[in-house]
Amino acid sequence: MSGRTDSDTGPAITEAATDEAPTAGPAVSDVTATEAEEAEAAEDAEDGEEHIGDARKARWAAAGTGGLLTLAGLAAALLRLTGSEPALVPAAYGLGAAVCALAAVLGARGRTRRALWLLVAGTMVMAFGDQSD
């Protein structure tokens, strides 16, 4: 338990490996490396398909949510126009709906990160209108 290791075996093994004559056929490690590369390429292709599916789901989610919030904002703006609330309330709902409509368009085009931030902003504008009510 002195903590010493055998350092004599390292160079002897590497010298023995370099003294051998080269073989005529392909090395076994070359064949397995090629198979490993092919397997890795197949996995990368599957991962790419998963990412495409995830992007498509995010695009649909952003566009659908934007459309739904746009309709809700427009309906709330129209309902508030008929009441005795100040003009700020239906304007806030209408502006929030317009921002959500822009988010829906961006989401449909694949700009999901921007669309989601715009959805948050549009919902906040509509919530401000609700608080002013």
Side-chain angles (χ1 to χ4, degrees), residues 26-107:
V28 174
S29 62
D30 291 340
V31 173
T32 56
T34 305
E35 291 172 357
E37 289 171 0
E38 289 175 1
E40 186 176 324
E43 288 178 11
D44 288 343
E46 290 174 3
D47 288 342
E49 291 173 2
E50 289 177 12
H51 290 300
I52 291 171
D54 291 343
R56 187 175 295 130
K57 288 178 186 176
R59 198 169 51 228
W60 277 101
T65 305
L68 184 66
L69 286 173
T70 299
L71 291 176
L74 287 176
L78 290 175
L79 286 174
R80 299 295 186 217
L81 274 175
T82 60
S84 61
E85 290 84 12
L88 178 67
V89 176
Y93 279 116
L95 181 62
V99 171
C100 289
L102 177 63
V105 170
L106 287 177

Side-chain angles (χ1 to χ4, degrees), residues 93-132:
Y93 279 116
L95 181 62
V99 171
C100 289
L102 177 63
V105 170
L106 287 177
R109 291 184 177 212
R111 306 282 187 199
T112 54
R113 182 177 293 160
R114 291 179 184 151
L116 293 176
W117 280 112
L118 281 175
L119 287 172
V120 169
T123 305
M124 287 176 60
V125 170
M126 287 191 269
F128 176 73
D130 188 49
Q131 288 297 318
S132 298

